[in-house]
Amino acid sequence: MPVFPALWPGLARLALLSTCLAAGGCVLDGASVRDAAKSAGFGPKEVAAPDFVAQSRRGGGDFLPVGESAPPRETRAKSAAGVKALEADLDASRQRNEVKGRDAAKVGGAVKPPAPPKVPPAE
């Protein structure tokens, strides 16, 4: 007969918890358990990508190895004249938007807010 019978359930839970933690520490990332479950037929089934998805993907989508340069880009940078033309176009667009904003502010200032609704008194 145990000396402290009230402590035995707690000790049993502690032993179970420490056993689970010790066994869980052996599994570093769970890959071996996942692979074993997958080979046993558990887990999700591999599904092939639909044709339109497979056709839209570019080949060689892997990451570049360390120390290897990226392939040269197909598009070239804008020339100085192209950059100036783009800046002029953006400035013109900004000015048009500012004029539209000032016009909208004038119209919005002239409109009176609606009167608050009349609520009948509570009975």
Side-chain angles (χ1 to χ4, degrees):
M1 176 127 192
V3 179
F4 298 107
L7 292 179
W8 284 106
L11 290 175
R13 287 188 199 116
L14 182 63
L16 179 63
L17 177 65
S18 61
T19 304
C20 290
L21 289 176
C26 297
V27 179
L28 296 177
D29 63 351
S32 58
V33 174
R34 182 184 60 235
D35 293 341
K38 191 181 279 188
S39 65
F42 299 108
K45 305 291 184 224
E46 292 291 328
V47 178
D51 291 336
F52 71 93
V53 173
Q55 292 169 359
S56 66
R57 291 181 181 162
R58 289 188 243 157
D62 297 334
F63 292 104
L64 288 176
V66 174
E68 188 173 315
S69 298
R73 294 180 180 242
E74 298 173 6
T75 57
R76 309 189 106 220
K78 288 189 178 288
S79 63
V83 170
K84 293 231 185 257
L86 180 61
E87 286 177 353
D89 186 35
L90 290 173
D91 283 338
S93 177
R94 177 182 51 82
Q95 290 172 354
R96 284 191 306 270
N97 286 337
E98 286 176 352
V99 168
K100 288 179 183 178
R102 283 193 296 268
D103 290 344
K106 288 178 188 174
V107 171
V111 175
K112 293 180 183 177
K118 295 186 179 187
V119 179
E123 293 180 15

